[in-house]
Amino acid sequence: MALALAENVVSNSIALDIEGVTHRYDLDGRDLQVLDNVSIVIEPGEFVALLGPSGCGKSTLLRLAAGLETPTTGRVLEDGRPIIAPDPDRILVFQDATLFPWRTVRDNVAIGLEARGLIRELEYRIDEVLKLVKLEGFADVYPHQLSGGMAQRAALARALVNDPKLLLLDEPFGKLDSLTRLRMQNELLELWKSAGFTALLVTHDVEEALLLADRVIVLSDRPASIVAEVRVDRPHPRRRDDAGLVALRRALLEKLGISHDV
Amino acid sequence: MSATIEDTFGGTGRRSLALPVTGLWRNGLLAAGTWLLASAVTYGLPDVITWGATELFAIVTLAGAILFVALSLTVHRLGSVGRTLVHYGPWFIVLGLWLAVWEVLTAKLGWLPKPFFSPPQGLLHVYVTDWERLLICVAYTGRLWGLGFFSGILVGFAGGVALGWSKRFAYWGMPLLKLIGPVPASAWIPCTFFLFPTTFHASIFLVALASGIPVAILTAAGVGQVNRSFYDVARTLGASNRFLIFKVAIPASLPNVFVGVFMGLYYSFAVLVVAEMLGAKFGLGWYLQFNTAYSAYANVYAALIIMALICAGLVRLLFVVRDRLLGWQKGIL
């Protein structure tokens, strides 16, 4: 099923280098620093989670990696080249599905191909991807008729149809109910394994980070800087009650400033 | 209990199927009654002042009454048309009553005197005697309105998108729009005489202005209100500026655009009278002014009714277009 996506696993991912990035916003004349000298090196095909308190600047990091903004100082590089503009190789998935309400699920998924003029050659991929995220029966439905989980799946399909080499996930399951979230986490993991893209996940859910990522990076409160970095060496599928993970969870919560008894 | 609920929602059709007299439309019979009353009053009582077409009006209302009797027996076999008729049953009853009261107050008692008021047969008389001229006026007004309205909403829409999209455009355009917006159409007449080669062009301009400004303002607001994340999503998916405008900004702001078009439709009708002041030889607006000048108020009312019906018809048509284009909103609103 995922063969078409997994054909060239090697070239399907990129390395992301974040080099000494500091970023400020100008809010009505007030200077707001959100990132403070952040450096992260991500290998091709790696799954990295950014963990930190809400509003600490994690999302800004993703916007920089997507090319929606350029850093005030420092550099963001993909395979050694600076990122200066958005590119369908690096796709951002938001906490809200942000599906276009006037387009059916199929037409939403088609946007990337349409925008790049590839819709004729690659239209068949829409059905493939919809099948991949288990929405094949909902292709002609409008977004407001979908549940939260289905909408987020459609958003994933809209990203995956473009064969992204870097998938940037901004708390993608943050608004889903806990059961749907568990299911979607597993599905994301499957997609990552089969498609082979590099994944950078922003979350404030410690368990989610530990279950999914190869590496968890803990950021401080605003302006965000790196507090800790933890490698998670457990094979997938991971169990929530794995002793190693429980210990890591405790350590990470401590880094986030939350005491032992939680 | 359920019968009362059905009554409230005009569901007499369904209920009456269960009654011994199958398929009798009660409201239809009542409407026939009130229309017959109007007919009897018109024919039976003497007119205070003579108006033409008194007999004709009695015949028309009698025909209406007979039609309602026929419908009250057959309405359930007419499908969706029948359901619509049943829905408006109470209106037909009240309409008959209103015709009777109107008739009594004007022609029969003279409490509402000539020339300020006209009985229904006065209007009928206008339609019967002056229909040729009215038709020509409708055609002339239709041409003026069509050219003005469609050019107006097109320019208004394009301008609104530009204002909502481009900061530079908004910097220069918004203050101008805010200044021009509230100026009444008649205030433009001196300029338009100078600027346009013919008075017809000037009239088109006035109608276009009246319909274009609300479209421009609401389109600009709509484009400005589009969720920023939609643009971010589209940009990361490889969208060009052109794609962002035509495939994101415009569809997202279309609900607003339609509000503007509805407003523009009403304004364009309001301005028709002014626009046809400019040396027009025919047209409903001209007809209104001409007959007002001669105190021929029956003709004025007759033309007003035609205008109101055309406007209502166009609004209805616009709803159909909107529902087709904005079908995706079903279930959201």
Side-chain angles (χ1 to χ4, degrees), chain B residues 174-232:
Chain B
M174 257 336 199
L176 285 179
L177 194 61
K178 280 177 189 158
L179 276 177
I180 292 173
V183 176
S186 48
W188 292 102
I189 291 177
C191 307
T192 53
F193 269 133
F194 180 75
L195 289 173
F196 290 94
T198 68
T199 51
F200 184 59
H201 286 94
S203 304
I204 292 176
F205 171 77
L206 289 184
V207 176
L209 197 67
S211 38
I213 282 175
V215 175
I217 290 175
L218 276 139
T219 305
V223 172
Q225 283 164 13
V226 175
N227 185 348
R228 299 279 127 191
S229 333
F230 283 157
Y231 294 134
D232 285 345

Coordinates of all heavy atoms in Angstrom, one line a residue, chain B residues 174-232:
Chain B
M174 N -8.4 52.7 0.5 CA -9.4 52.6 1.6 C -10.0 54.0 1.9 O -11.2 54.2 2.0 CB -8.8 51.9 2.8 CG -9.2 50.5 3.0 SD -10.8 50.1 2.3 CE -11.3 48.7 3.2
P175 N -9.1 55.0 2.1 CA -9.6 56.4 2.4 C -10.5 56.9 1.4 O -11.6 57.5 1.6 CB -8.4 57.2 2.6 CG -7.3 56.3 2.9 CD -7.6 55.0 2.1
L176 N -10.2 56.7 0.1 CA -11.0 57.1 -1.0 C -12.4 56.4 -0.9 O -13.4 57.1 -1.1 CB -10.4 56.8 -2.4 CG -9.2 57.7 -2.8 CD1 -8.6 57.2 -4.1 CD2 -9.7 59.1 -2.9
L177 N -12.4 55.1 -0.7 CA -13.6 54.4 -0.7 C -14.5 54.9 0.5 O -15.7 55.0 0.3 CB -13.3 52.9 -0.5 CG -14.4 51.9 -0.7 CD1 -14.9 52.0 -2.2 CD2 -14.0 50.5 -0.4
K178 N -13.9 55.2 1.6 CA -14.6 55.6 2.7 C -15.2 57.0 2.5 O -16.3 57.4 3.0 CB -13.7 55.7 4.0 CG -13.6 54.3 4.6 CD -12.6 54.4 5.8 CE -12.3 52.9 6.3 NZ -11.1 52.9 7.0
L179 N -14.5 57.8 1.7 CA -15.0 59.2 1.3 C -16.2 59.0 0.3 O -17.2 59.7 0.5 CB -13.9 60.0 0.7 CG -13.0 60.7 1.7 CD1 -11.9 61.5 1.0 CD2 -13.9 61.7 2.6
I180 N -16.0 58.2 -0.7 CA -17.0 58.1 -1.8 C -18.2 57.4 -1.3 O -19.3 57.7 -1.6 CB -16.3 57.3 -3.0 CG1 -15.3 58.2 -3.6 CG2 -17.4 57.0 -4.0 CD1 -14.5 57.5 -4.7
G181 N -18.0 56.3 -0.4 CA -19.1 55.5 0.0 C -20.4 56.2 0.4 O -21.4 55.9 -0.2
P182 N -20.3 57.1 1.3 CA -21.6 57.7 1.8 C -22.2 58.8 0.9 O -23.3 59.3 1.2 CB -21.1 58.3 3.2 CG -19.7 58.0 3.4 CD -19.2 57.6 2.1
V183 N -21.5 59.2 -0.1 CA -22.0 60.3 -1.0 C -23.2 59.8 -1.7 O -23.2 58.8 -2.4 CB -21.0 60.8 -2.0 CG1 -21.6 61.8 -2.9 CG2 -19.8 61.3 -1.2
P184 N -24.4 60.5 -1.6 CA -25.6 60.0 -2.3 C -25.4 60.1 -3.9 O -24.7 61.0 -4.3 CB -26.7 60.9 -1.9 CG -26.0 62.1 -1.3 CD -24.7 61.7 -0.8
A185 N -26.0 59.2 -4.6 CA -25.8 59.1 -6.0 C -26.1 60.4 -6.7 O -25.4 60.8 -7.7 CB -26.6 57.9 -6.6
S186 N -27.1 61.1 -6.3 CA -27.5 62.3 -7.0 C -26.5 63.4 -6.9 O -26.4 64.2 -7.8 CB -28.8 62.8 -6.4 OG -28.7 62.9 -5.0
A187 N -25.6 63.3 -5.9 CA -24.5 64.3 -5.8 C -23.5 64.1 -6.9 O -22.8 65.1 -7.2 CB -23.8 64.2 -4.5
W188 N -23.5 63.0 -7.6 CA -22.5 62.8 -8.7 C -23.0 63.3 -10.0 O -22.2 63.3 -10.9 CB -22.2 61.3 -8.8 CG -21.5 60.7 -7.6 CD1 -22.0 60.0 -6.6 CD2 -20.1 60.9 -7.4 NE1 -21.1 59.7 -5.7 CE2 -19.9 60.2 -6.1 CE3 -19.1 61.5 -8.0 CZ2 -18.6 60.2 -5.6 CZ3 -17.8 61.4 -7.5 CH2 -17.6 60.8 -6.3
I189 N -24.3 63.7 -10.1 CA -24.8 64.0 -11.4 C -24.1 65.1 -12.1 O -23.7 64.9 -13.3 CB -26.3 64.4 -11.2 CG1 -27.1 63.1 -10.9 CG2 -26.9 65.0 -12.5 CD1 -28.6 63.3 -10.6
P190 N -23.7 66.2 -11.4 CA -22.9 67.2 -12.2 C -21.6 66.7 -12.8 O -21.4 66.9 -14.0 CB -22.6 68.3 -11.1 CG -23.6 68.1 -10.0 CD -24.0 66.6 -10.1
C191 N -20.8 66.0 -12.0 CA -19.6 65.4 -12.5 C -19.9 64.5 -13.7 O -19.2 64.5 -14.7 CB -18.9 64.6 -11.5 SG -18.6 65.4 -10.0
T192 N -20.9 63.6 -13.5 CA -21.1 62.6 -14.5 C -21.5 63.2 -15.9 O -21.1 62.7 -16.9 CB -22.2 61.6 -14.1 OG1 -23.4 62.3 -13.7 CG2 -21.8 60.7 -12.9
F193 N -22.2 64.3 -15.8 CA -22.6 65.0 -17.0 C -21.3 65.4 -17.8 O -21.2 65.3 -19.0 CB -23.4 66.3 -16.7 CG -24.9 66.0 -16.7 CD1 -25.7 66.5 -15.7 CD2 -25.4 65.2 -17.8 CE1 -27.0 66.2 -15.7 CE2 -26.8 65.0 -17.8 CZ -27.6 65.5 -16.8
F194 N -20.3 65.9 -17.0 CA -19.1 66.3 -17.7 C -18.2 65.1 -18.1 O -17.7 65.2 -19.2 CB -18.3 67.2 -16.7 CG -17.0 67.7 -17.3 CD1 -17.0 68.7 -18.2 CD2 -15.8 67.1 -16.9 CE1 -15.9 69.2 -18.7 CE2 -14.6 67.6 -17.4 CZ -14.7 68.7 -18.3
L195 N -18.2 64.1 -17.3 CA -17.3 63.0 -17.6 C -17.7 62.0 -18.6 O -16.9 61.4 -19.3 CB -17.0 62.2 -16.3 CG -16.2 63.0 -15.2 CD1 -16.2 62.2 -13.9 CD2 -14.8 63.2 -15.7
F196 N -19.0 61.9 -18.8 CA -19.5 60.8 -19.7 C -20.0 61.4 -21.0 O -20.7 62.4 -21.0 CB -20.5 59.9 -19.0 CG -19.9 59.1 -17.9 CD1 -19.9 59.5 -16.6 CD2 -19.2 57.9 -18.3 CE1 -19.3 58.8 -15.6 CE2 -18.7 57.1 -17.3 CZ -18.7 57.6 -16.0
P197 N -19.8 60.7 -22.1 CA -20.2 61.2 -23.4 C -21.8 61.3 -23.5 O -22.2 62.3 -24.1 CB -19.7 60.2 -24.4 CG -19.4 58.9 -23.6 CD -19.1 59.4 -22.3
T198 N -22.5 60.4 -23.0 CA -24.0 60.5 -23.1 C -24.6 60.3 -21.7 O -23.9 59.9 -20.7 CB -24.5 59.3 -23.9 OG1 -24.3 58.1 -23.2 CG2 -23.9 59.2 -25.3
T199 N -25.8 60.8 -21.6 CA -26.5 60.6 -20.3 C -26.7 59.2 -19.9 O -26.8 58.8 -18.7 CB -27.9 61.3 -20.3 OG1 -28.6 60.9 -21.4 CG2 -27.7 62.8 -20.3
F200 N -26.8 58.3 -21.0 CA -27.0 56.9 -20.7 C -25.8 56.3 -20.0 O -25.9 55.6 -19.0 CB -27.3 56.1 -22.0 CG -27.6 54.7 -21.8 CD1 -28.6 54.2 -21.0 CD2 -26.8 53.7 -22.4 CE1 -28.9 52.9 -20.8 CE2 -27.0 52.3 -22.2 CZ -28.1 52.0 -21.4
H201 N -24.6 56.7 -20.5 CA -23.4 56.3 -19.8 C -23.3 56.8 -18.4 O -22.9 56.1 -17.4 CB -22.1 56.8 -20.5 CG -21.9 56.0 -21.8 ND1 -22.4 56.4 -23.0 CD2 -21.2 54.9 -22.0 CE1 -22.0 55.6 -24.0 NE2 -21.3 54.6 -23.4
A202 N -23.7 58.0 -18.2 CA -23.7 58.6 -16.8 C -24.7 57.8 -15.9 O -24.3 57.5 -14.8 CB -24.2 60.0 -16.9
S203 N -25.8 57.4 -16.4 CA -26.8 56.6 -15.6 C -26.2 55.3 -15.3 O -26.3 54.8 -14.1 CB -28.1 56.4 -16.4 OG -28.6 57.6 -16.8
I204 N -25.6 54.6 -16.2 CA -24.9 53.3 -16.0 C -23.9 53.5 -14.8 O -23.8 52.7 -13.9 CB -24.2 52.8 -17.2 CG1 -25.3 52.4 -18.3 CG2 -23.4 51.6 -16.9 CD1 -24.7 51.9 -19.6
F205 N -23.1 54.6 -14.9 CA -22.1 54.8 -13.9 C -22.8 54.9 -12.5 O -22.3 54.4 -11.6 CB -21.3 56.1 -14.2 CG -20.4 56.5 -13.1 CD1 -19.2 55.9 -12.9 CD2 -20.8 57.6 -12.3 CE1 -18.4 56.3 -11.9 CE2 -19.9 58.0 -11.3 CZ -18.7 57.3 -11.1
L206 N -23.9 55.7 -12.4 CA -24.5 55.8 -11.1 C -25.0 54.5 -10.5 O -24.8 54.2 -9.3 CB -25.7 56.8 -11.2 CG -25.4 58.2 -11.5 CD1 -26.6 59.1 -11.5 CD2 -24.4 58.8 -10.4
V207 N -25.6 53.7 -11.4 CA -26.1 52.3 -10.9 C -24.8 51.5 -10.5 O -24.8 50.8 -9.5 CB -26.9 51.6 -12.0 CG1 -27.3 50.2 -11.5 CG2 -28.1 52.4 -12.3
A208 N -23.8 51.5 -11.3 CA -22.6 50.8 -11.1 C -22.0 51.2 -9.8 O -21.5 50.4 -8.9 CB -21.6 50.9 -12.2
L209 N -21.9 52.5 -9.5 CA -21.3 53.0 -8.3 C -22.1 52.5 -7.1 O -21.5 52.0 -6.1 CB -21.4 54.5 -8.3 CG -20.4 55.2 -7.4 CD1 -19.0 55.0 -7.7 CD2 -20.7 56.7 -7.4
A210 N -23.4 52.6 -7.2 CA -24.3 52.2 -6.0 C -24.1 50.7 -5.7 O -24.1 50.3 -4.6 CB -25.7 52.5 -6.3
S211 N -24.0 49.9 -6.8 CA -23.9 48.4 -6.5 C -22.4 48.0 -6.2 O -22.2 47.1 -5.5 CB -24.5 47.6 -7.6 OG -24.2 48.2 -8.9
G212 N -21.5 48.8 -6.8 CA -20.1 48.4 -6.6 C -19.5 48.7 -5.3 O -18.7 47.9 -4.8
I213 N -19.9 49.8 -4.6 CA -19.3 50.2 -3.4 C -19.5 49.2 -2.2 O -18.5 48.7 -1.6 CB -19.7 51.6 -3.0 CG1 -18.9 52.6 -3.9 CG2 -19.4 51.9 -1.5 CD1 -19.2 54.0 -3.7
P214 N -20.7 48.7 -2.0 CA -20.8 47.7 -0.9 C -20.1 46.4 -1.3 O -19.5 45.8 -0.3 CB -22.3 47.5 -0.8 CG -22.9 48.0 -2.0 CD -22.0 49.1 -2.5
V215 N -20.1 46.0 -2.5 CA -19.3 44.8 -2.9 C -17.8 45.0 -2.6 O -17.2 44.1 -2.0 CB -19.5 44.5 -4.4 CG1 -18.7 43.3 -4.8 CG2 -21.0 44.2 -4.7
A216 N -17.3 46.2 -3.0 CA -15.9 46.5 -2.7 C -15.6 46.4 -1.3 O -14.6 45.8 -0.8 CB -15.5 47.8 -3.3
I217 N -16.4 47.1 -0.4 CA -16.1 47.2 1.0 C -16.2 45.8 1.6 O -15.3 45.4 2.4 CB -17.1 48.1 1.7 CG1 -16.9 49.6 1.2 CG2 -17.0 48.0 3.2 CD1 -17.9 50.6 1.7
L218 N -17.2 45.0 1.3 CA -17.3 43.7 1.9 C -16.3 42.7 1.4 O -15.9 41.8 2.2 CB -18.8 43.2 1.8 CG -19.6 43.8 2.9 CD1 -21.0 44.2 2.5 CD2 -19.7 42.8 4.1
T219 N -16.0 42.8 0.1 CA -14.9 41.9 -0.4 C -13.6 42.2 0.3 O -12.9 41.3 0.7 CB -14.8 42.1 -1.9 OG1 -16.1 41.9 -2.5 CG2 -13.8 41.1 -2.5
A220 N -13.3 43.5 0.4 CA -12.0 43.8 1.1 C -12.0 43.3 2.5 O -11.0 42.7 2.9 CB -11.9 45.4 1.0
A221 N -13.1 43.5 3.2 CA -13.2 43.0 4.6 C -13.0 41.5 4.6 O -12.3 40.9 5.4 CB -14.5 43.4 5.2
G222 N -13.7 40.8 3.7 CA -13.7 39.3 3.6 C -12.2 38.8 3.4 O -11.8 37.9 4.0
V223 N -11.6 39.5 2.4 CA -10.2 39.0 2.1 C -9.3 39.3 3.3 O -8.4 38.5 3.6 CB -9.7 39.7 0.8 CG1 -8.2 39.4 0.6 CG2 -10.5 39.3 -0.4
G224 N -9.5 40.4 3.9 CA -8.7 40.8 5.1 C -8.9 39.8 6.3 O -8.0 39.7 7.1
Q225 N -10.1 39.2 6.3 CA -10.4 38.4 7.5 C -10.0 36.9 7.3 O -10.2 36.1 8.2 CB -11.9 38.4 7.8 CG -12.4 39.6 8.5 CD -13.9 39.8 8.4 OE1 -14.6 38.8 8.0 NE2 -14.4 41.0 8.7
V226 N -9.5 36.6 6.1 CA -9.2 35.2 5.9 C -8.1 34.7 6.9 O -7.1 35.4 7.2 CB -8.6 35.0 4.5 CG1 -8.2 33.5 4.3 CG2 -9.7 35.4 3.4
N227 N -8.4 33.5 7.5 CA -7.5 32.9 8.5 C -6.1 32.8 7.9 O -5.9 32.2 6.9 CB -8.1 31.5 8.8 CG -7.3 30.8 9.8 OD1 -6.2 31.3 10.3 ND2 -7.9 29.7 10.3
R228 N -5.1 33.5 8.6 CA -3.7 33.5 8.2 C -3.2 32.1 7.9 O -2.3 31.9 7.1 CB -2.8 34.2 9.2 CG -3.2 35.6 9.4 CD -2.7 36.5 8.3 NE -3.8 37.3 7.8 CZ -3.8 38.1 6.8 NH1 -2.7 38.2 6.0 NH2 -4.8 38.7 6.4
S229 N -3.6 31.1 8.8 CA -3.1 29.8 8.6 C -3.4 29.2 7.3 O -2.6 28.3 6.8 CB -3.6 28.8 9.7 OG -4.0 29.5 10.8
F230 N -4.5 29.6 6.7 CA -4.8 29.1 5.3 C -3.7 29.5 4.3 O -3.3 28.7 3.5 CB -6.2 29.7 4.8 CG -7.4 29.0 5.4 CD1 -8.6 29.7 5.5 CD2 -7.3 27.8 5.9 CE1 -9.7 29.1 6.0 CE2 -8.4 27.2 6.5 CZ -9.6 27.8 6.6
Y231 N -3.2 30.7 4.5 CA -2.1 31.1 3.6 C -0.9 30.3 3.9 O -0.2 29.9 3.0 CB -1.9 32.6 3.8 CG -3.0 33.5 3.3 CD1 -3.4 34.6 4.1 CD2 -3.6 33.3 2.1 CE1 -4.4 35.4 3.7 CE2 -4.7 34.1 1.7 CZ -5.1 35.2 2.5 OH -6.1 36.0 2.1
D232 N -0.6 30.2 5.2 CA 0.6 29.4 5.6 C 0.6 28.0 5.0 O 1.6 27.5 4.5 CB 0.7 29.4 7.1 CG 1.2 30.7 7.7 OD1 1.7 31.5 6.9 OD2 1.1 30.9 8.9

